[in-house]
Every structure is written in C-alpha cells, then in structure tokens.
Amino acid sequence: MDANGGIEIELKFDVDELALLPRLNDLPGVQAVAEPVTHDLAAVYFDTNDLVLARAHITLRRRTGGDDAGWHLKLPQGVGRRREVHAPIGKHLQDEADAVPGSLAQLVRVYTRDSPLVPVVHLGTTRVVHALIGAGGETLAVLCDDRVEAQRLLHEPASAAWREWEIELVDGPEDLLDAGQSVLASGGILVSQHASKLARALGDRFPAESTTKQRRPTPNGPAGNVLLASLTEQIGVIRRHDPQVRQHAAGSVHAMRVATRRLRSVLATYRSLVDPGVVQHLRTELGWLAAVLGGSRDEEVLQRHLVGLLDRESPALLLGPIRERLESRSETDAHSAQLTLVTALDSHRYFRLLDALDSLVATPPFTAAADQDARVVVPALVTKEWKKLRRAVRLAAKTVPGSERDLALHTARKRAKRLRYAAETAHPLSPKRSARVSRFAQKLQTILGEQHDSVIARDRLLKRGGVEAYLRGENTFSYGRLHAKEQEQASSAQARFWKAWSRRP
C-alpha cells in the first residue's frame, strides 16, 4: 500500500486581516523562529453527495503546492488530533484529478459504502509558514498564517474567503499547543469555531451535529437504553476495524468478528425489545458476516495451533514432509479466505447491513417491553441465557463421547459466550453480579474453545494431512501421533470444563 502518514495535532484560530503575530519566541522551549516561507496551495476535497465523510469529521483531499503535495486522508482521533494518511499524486495529474487512490478510498468504504466520491470543495490558500525552533535545532511546531479562498462545488455552489492561523505540532510536546493558545487568547485571538477549512467552506451545508444524545443505561431507566448502548459500542468497533481489516492489520479480523458476534448475540438476548422481523434479518446478515470473518480468522488460529504443535514435537518424530504439507495447506486456505473476506467487504450485501445497523440505532423499532424498567427486564433476560446454558450442558453430559459429544460441547460453548455477552450488557445495572457471571462464562468459553480447537486440528491432521499423505505414499506416522496428542488435550479440556461447571456461581 502506498499510504503513509502519522498523527496530526493542531489548533486553528480565527483572525481578521489586520491581526499581527505575537512574539512566538516567548513560548516554552522555543529558541528561535525561522524566516517565514510562503506557499501557494490548491486543494480539492472529496466526499459523497450526502457528505457522509464530513458528517464523520473525515477529510479527504488532493493538494498541490507546498512541501506536502499529494492525497491526504485525515481521520479523527480525539479533540485536536487526527490520524493522517498520505498517498502520492500520480504522474498524469489531469487524468486522475477526480480519481481517489484505491489505498485511501478503501479506508473510508465503511462510511461511503457504494456511493461515489466526488469533488465537493476547492480551496486556494496562500500560506506563510513560521517554524518554531527548539534548543537543538529541531522544529517543535509550525504556525501557518493562511489566507483562504473557497468554492463550494455542490448543493448550491458558493464562494467564501477568510484568514486563519494554525499551530501544528511537529516534534514539540503537546503542552506547547496549550501555551500557544494562551498567548493568542491574551491578544483576543480565539480557537476557531470551525473544525476544519472544509467545514467553513461548506457553510450551511456542513452536516449538523446530531441533537439526540444516547441516554446512559440506568436501573430505573428504559431497558431499551441498555440494548442501544451495547449496539452503539459494537457498531463503533466495526467502523474502527473495517479499515484495518482492509490493510491486513494484526488482530483486526478478530476484533471485527467479535463485535459482529456480540451484535448478533445481544440481538438474540434482547429480541423481545425489538421488532421480530428486524431482529431476524439482522441476525441472518450478521451471521453471514461473522462466517466470512471467521474463515480468515479460523485459518490464522489453526495455522498458529499446528505450528506450535510441530514446534513442541521432537524433530526425530517428525517423519516425512509433514511441516511443509501442513504449512502449505494453511497458507493456501488462509489466502483463499482473505480474498473471500475482501470481496465481502466491498459487496452490496455488506453495505446494506451497515445501513440497517445505522438505522437500528438511529430509529430503533422498539416494542413496548423496551420502555419497561431495565432493573426488571434485563436480569430476567440474563437469567434466560443461564437456563439455556444449563440445558446445553445437561445435553452434552448425556451424549455419547466422540463427535456427538464434541458437537454438544461446542453448542454449550456458544451458550456460555451468549451468557457472557448478556451479563456484560447488564454491567451498568449490577456491576458486581454482572462481572461474576461474565467471568465464569468466559472461563467456560475459554476451556471449551481449547477443546474445539483440538477438534478442528484433528480434522485437519486426519483428512487433509494423514489421508492425503497416505495417498501420496508418504509416511503417516507423525500425523497419527499428533492426532493422538490432540485427542489427549481435548480430554484434558473436557475434564477441566466439568470441574469448572461443578463450581458455577
């Protein structure tokens, strides 16, 4: 990927044409102010026609001129902080003027979905840069004196002009920004009311902040608030990790998959609070997404599991090309799963799922039960999950050891996971009780997860390992030995599960 960048930390200030710069040498750590450098900058900002990036406080632009010409994507990271990602401008500027680089477009697909990115604002800026130099000659920060001419390109085109100052940290500490703000405030210069040049250029077309704030879950508040808080949190996790999954960042698939599973589980637990048709549709689609994410994640986990198994075995007992065969198979399957995942994240089905989740939290189709007191409704729903777990464990205890028992224990694991997620949603209502139940459920989930991993590993060792090795005329001793060791590990996990279950709270 050709994108790169860092964290941008800056403050903007509104000034008039006659404003004079203060003595910047008086700022802490500043030993000198370099001679000013002037740049003529031209930038085109891109968004969808309904300005979804602006609504999310995301900036995407192509800038020419200055020492940082190129494509810039700025993602919010908190007040005054933005993560900046860059991509170079191609050789044929005119040909690609309105073509956003794929490396950047992918990072905002979770917002833009299948809507095209179009030019929305053109800015022409005369920038005078004053670099603030530290004792060691390093640039601590820069103060940019910008005179801006803006043209809004859509929704009733309009033009505007203004002057602003911008202090951006380079190698200096963050308290330098606070000091700069204080110095400017003493001269009557205040922080800008506009979050960005783009917001100012869009004027009255800039998306307004939502006036509806989500209410915090409380025991005597509506049960629907508990559900909304959980849904909002997990949808946020999907938004944050979608770009990372597309960049193949470590741990991102796992995080996004867990959020997807949590959403699906919580909707099942709280199904009585929401229109049943909506719940059924969303759980089906979330199940599809979880399965796609799972294909990639499961191969990653299985590969790590098998490599660890091989590493712990004596080299003298690894007969034939078992390591090469298993690693080759895992790499092939992992690559295939990754391609499937990338295709799914660019699909109409995924985008409509995101639309449906946004709609769910914006205008939840609640039933009458959602208006009842949380302290009455939520504990009852958690208790139902307890009962389902007990039934699943009783059924597992009655099944014949072998594949049927493995399947029953896997069902019990899923029930433990749902109980854990349900208990976690109830944390604002009863922290101690919820923490105790969720810890116990997580313990069961972890133990049965080890047991299930062994089932999957044994299947790979037998069907895609030993059988294929036999058909190729290779030595199958090591496959059988590792299979037996995995079986022993599964038996140990089962014993630990039954012991843990006997001590349930």
Side-chain angles (χ1 to χ4, degrees):
M1 177 173 284
D2 56 1
N4 55 76
I7 299 296
E8 176 190 71
I9 306 175
E10 65 180 20
L11 286 175
K12 296 180 184 294
F13 303 86
D14 291 328
V15 295
D16 60 37
E17 284 297 320
L18 300 179
L20 300 177
L21 285 175
R23 272 187 54 82
L24 301 174
N25 305 65
D26 295 337
L27 293 175
V30 176
Q31 297 297 308
V33 179
E35 287 295 318
V37 178
T38 301
H39 299 290
D40 289 321
L41 311 174
V44 179
Y45 289 75
F46 291 79
D47 206 331
T48 62
N49 278 304
D50 50 354
L51 301 173
V52 296
L53 297 186
R55 184 173 291 107
H57 302 286
I58 294 171
T59 299
L60 175 60
R61 73 183 179 206
R62 176 177 51 78
R63 171 187 278 174
T64 55
D67 53 11
D68 65 344
W71 288 89
H72 303 160
L73 172 64
K74 298 184 179 184
L75 305 163
Q77 300 284 303
V79 178
R81 300 171 66 95
R82 293 196 288 181
R83 177 188 169 213
E84 222 177 305
V85 186
H86 298 166
I89 294 176
K91 295 180 179 179
H92 305 291
L93 178 60
Q94 198 63 38
D95 293 341
E96 67 153 28
D98 294 343
V100 177
S103 60
L104 300 187
Q106 284 294 304
L107 299 185
V108 295
R109 288 303 293 275
V110 71
Y111 296 98
T112 62
R113 298 164 195 177
D114 42 14
S115 297
L117 286 163
V118 298
V120 295
V121 162
H122 178 273
L123 291 184
T125 303
T126 299
R127 166 167 289 181
V128 181
V129 180
H130 303 265
L132 311 185
I133 309 302
E138 73 280 12
T139 300
L140 300 177
V142 293
L143 186 146
C144 301
D145 185 357
D146 293 343
R147 285 176 167 81
V148 185
E149 292 185 358
Q151 291 182 316
R152 189 171 69 195
L153 305 177
L154 78 170
H155 302 306
E156 298 178 5
S159 60
W162 67 89
R163 184 186 180 198
E164 69 179 34
W165 291 345
E166 178 182 293
I167 303 178
E168 181 177 351
L169 288 182
V170 181
D171 292 323
E174 290 192 36
D175 57 8
L176 179 59
L177 275 185
D178 297 330
Q181 183 177 351
S182 297
V183 168
L184 294 180
S186 66
I189 304 299
L190 303 179
V191 174
S192 176
Q193 297 179 355
H194 301 90
S196 64
K197 289 182 174 66
L198 173 64
R200 192 161 186 171
L202 287 172
D204 60 355
R205 295 300 178 179
F206 188 77
E209 293 286 346
S210 174
T211 56
T212 58
K213 292 186 177 180
Q214 184 180 314
R215 290 173 292 176
R216 185 170 174 267
T218 57
N220 57 353
N225 286 356
V226 178
L227 173 59
L228 275 181
S230 180
L231 294 175
T232 301
E233 179 183 2
Q234 299 311 316
I235 292 170
V237 173
I238 290 176
R239 285 202 190 100
R240 289 195 301 274
H241 287 279
D242 173 288
Q244 297 179 32
V245 169
R246 296 172 188 273
Q247 291 181 299
H248 313 298
S252 58
V253 172
H254 176 60
M256 189 169 172
R257 182 192 191 191
V258 169
T260 302
R261 285 179 162 181
R262 282 179 180 271
L263 283 170
R264 190 169 188 269
S265 179
V266 168
L267 282 171
T269 298
Y270 286 83
R271 64 170 68 245
S272 60
L273 274 60
V274 183
D275 178 85
V278 173
V279 171
Q280 182 178 354
H281 170 71
L282 283 173
R283 292 197 74 244
T284 297
E285 295 306 285
L286 288 166
W288 161 76
L289 179 58
V292 174
L293 290 162
S296 179
R297 171 64 179 169
D298 289 345
E299 277 303 324
E300 177 186 333
V301 171
L302 179 58
Q303 185 174 19
R304 187 166 60 244
H305 184 93
L306 292 174
V307 168
L309 191 63
L310 293 169
D311 289 344
R312 291 190 297 272
E313 190 73 345
S314 169
L317 297 175
L318 295 178
L319 307 182
I322 180 172
R323 183 182 292 274
E324 293 80 359
R325 296 298 188 194
L326 289 177
E327 289 183 351
S328 175
R329 167 64 74 173
S330 289
E331 289 173 2
T332 299
D333 289 349
H335 179 67
S336 175
Q338 182 63 32
L339 289 178
T340 300
L341 174 56
V342 170
T343 300
L345 293 186
D346 282 332
S347 69
H348 177 83
R349 185 175 186 178
Y350 175 59
F351 298 145
R352 297 296 74 77
L353 170 58
L354 294 176
D355 290 344
L357 291 172
D358 288 346
S359 176
L360 176 65
V361 296
T363 54
F366 281 148
T367 63
D371 291 328
Q372 297 177 13
D373 281 3
R375 60 187 169 188
V376 175
V377 174
V378 176
L381 296 178
V382 175
T383 298
K384 282 186 179 180
E385 297 301 345
W386 251 117
K387 292 179 179 178
K388 292 176 181 178
L389 173 59
R390 290 193 187 99
R391 287 198 294 268
V393 173
R394 284 198 297 268
L395 180 60
K398 295 177 182 178
T399 55
V400 179
S403 59
E404 290 186 18
R405 171 73 60 83
D406 290 339
L407 184 60
L409 288 174
H410 184 49
T411 299
R413 175 176 175 250
K414 290 189 286 187
R415 289 297 181 189
K417 189 184 300 183
R418 185 180 293 183
L419 172 61
R420 173 191 166 193
Y421 296 158
E424 289 174 353
T425 65
H427 187 269
L429 312 181
S430 179
K432 291 183 179 180
R433 172 62 178 168
S434 297
R436 186 163 61 251
V437 172
S438 63
R439 280 197 302 269
F440 174 71
Q442 185 173 18
K443 182 177 182 179
L444 299 184
Q445 177 189 338
T446 299
I447 295 172
L448 291 178
E450 295 174 10
Q451 193 269 347
H452 183 64
D453 287 346
S454 176
V455 172
I456 301 300
R458 276 181 280 151
D459 183 73
R460 174 64 60 87
L461 288 166
L462 176 63
K463 296 179 181 177
R464 299 190 184 180
V467 172
E468 291 182 3
Y470 172 79
L471 295 175
R472 286 191 295 264
E474 296 171 357
N475 195 311
T476 60
F477 168 80
S478 298
Y479 291 100
R481 174 177 168 78
L482 295 178
H483 187 283
K485 293 183 74 172
E486 280 295 320
Q487 203 160 18
E488 184 180 351
Q489 289 295 322
S491 297
S492 173
Q494 286 192 41
R496 284 185 286 121
F497 166 74
W498 293 116
K499 183 177 181 179
W501 179 252
S502 69
R503 299 176 178 175
R504 59 190 177 276

